[in-house]
């Protein structure tokens, strides 16, 4: 027995595996999101495709999905927020960050995923990547400040020219 990669601290066989294998439906959009993440970590590509919206499922590349699943070293998933997606809802949004290593580089995939329920089954519809917020580590250089390149000129007449 092993712990479920979704981070629930429950055994895989008691947590996401029944959803992936079809012996239990996902009750919420979050449950489906976590099961899809686990399917990426375990290589259950058929579940990833079958849990995709039937209207756009044909746009999913099985080969590309399988390659990403296999080549990434999956580190964890963090659910950031949800809107709707409960047992009594028909639509939901799950914001998450999935962390993985690819070719030695750690990547945090931050996304808002959209889900809908059809005949009692939740499906992934689409996802929108949440852009990273850039935090400046040094103070912003003003137009009339000395240029940080050391030329002695004002920034606006040196490196800030034409910006």
């Amino acid at each position: 027995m092993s712990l479920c990669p979704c981070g629930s601290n429950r055994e895989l066989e008691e947590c996401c595996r029944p959803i992936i294998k079809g012996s239990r439906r996902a009750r919420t959009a979050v449950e489906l999101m976590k099961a899809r993440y686990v399917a990426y970590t375990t290589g259950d590509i058929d579940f990833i495709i079958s849990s995709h919206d039937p209207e756009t499922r044909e746009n999913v590349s099985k080969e590309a999905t399988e390659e990403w699943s296999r080549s990434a070293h999956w580190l964890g998933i963090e659910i950031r927020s949800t809107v709707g997606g409960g047992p009594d809802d028909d639509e939901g949004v799950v914001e998450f960050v999935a962390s993985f290593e690819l070719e030695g580089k750690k990547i945090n995939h931050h996304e808002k995923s959209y889900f809908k329920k059809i005949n009692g089954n939740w499906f992934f519809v689409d996802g929108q990547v949440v852009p990273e917020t850039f935090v400046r580590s040094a103070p912003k250089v003003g137009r009339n400040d000395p240029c940080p390149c050391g030329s002695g000129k004002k920034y606006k007449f040196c490196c800030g020219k034409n910006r």
Side-chain angles (χ1 to χ4, degrees), residues 28-70:
T28 65
V30 169
E31 276 191 348
L32 181 60
M33 179 70 250
K34 287 182 172 187
R36 285 175 56 86
Y37 170 79
V38 171
Y40 274 103
T41 70
T42 59
D44 286 299
I45 307 307
D46 289 339
F47 175 75
I48 294 167
I49 293 170
S50 70
S51 63
H52 198 283
D53 180 16
E55 291 182 19
T56 57
R57 188 178 293 155
E58 72 277 355
N59 298 332
V60 179
S61 167
K62 183 173 183 173
E63 294 77 23
T65 303
E66 192 168 33
E67 173 61 27
W68 186 28
S69 169
R70 193 175 349 107

Side-chain angles (χ1 to χ4, degrees), residues 43-109:
D44 286 299
I45 307 307
D46 289 339
F47 175 75
I48 294 167
I49 293 170
S50 70
S51 63
H52 198 283
D53 180 16
E55 291 182 19
T56 57
R57 188 178 293 155
E58 72 277 355
N59 298 332
V60 179
S61 167
K62 183 173 183 173
E63 294 77 23
T65 303
E66 192 168 33
E67 173 61 27
W68 186 28
S69 169
R70 193 175 349 107
S71 62
H73 173 68
W74 299 94
L75 303 172
I77 185 168
E78 174 192 350
I79 304 299
R80 293 270 176 99
S81 67
T82 61
V83 176
D88 298 325
D89 295 319
D90 290 328
E91 295 181 348
V93 178
V94 178
E95 181 179 350
F96 70 94
V97 176
S99 300
F100 59 95
E101 286 181 0
L102 191 60
E103 297 176 356
K105 181 179 178 188
K106 183 178 179 192
I107 298 169
N108 291 319
H109 178 79

Side-chain angles (χ1 to χ4, degrees), residues 2-23:
S2 61
L3 289 180
C4 189
C6 80
S8 67
N9 290 321
R10 294 173 42 211
E11 297 293 327
L12 175 60
E13 299 303 321
E14 303 291 320
C15 190
C16 290
R17 177 73 73 205
I19 297 170
I20 293 168
K21 294 303 178 190
S23 60

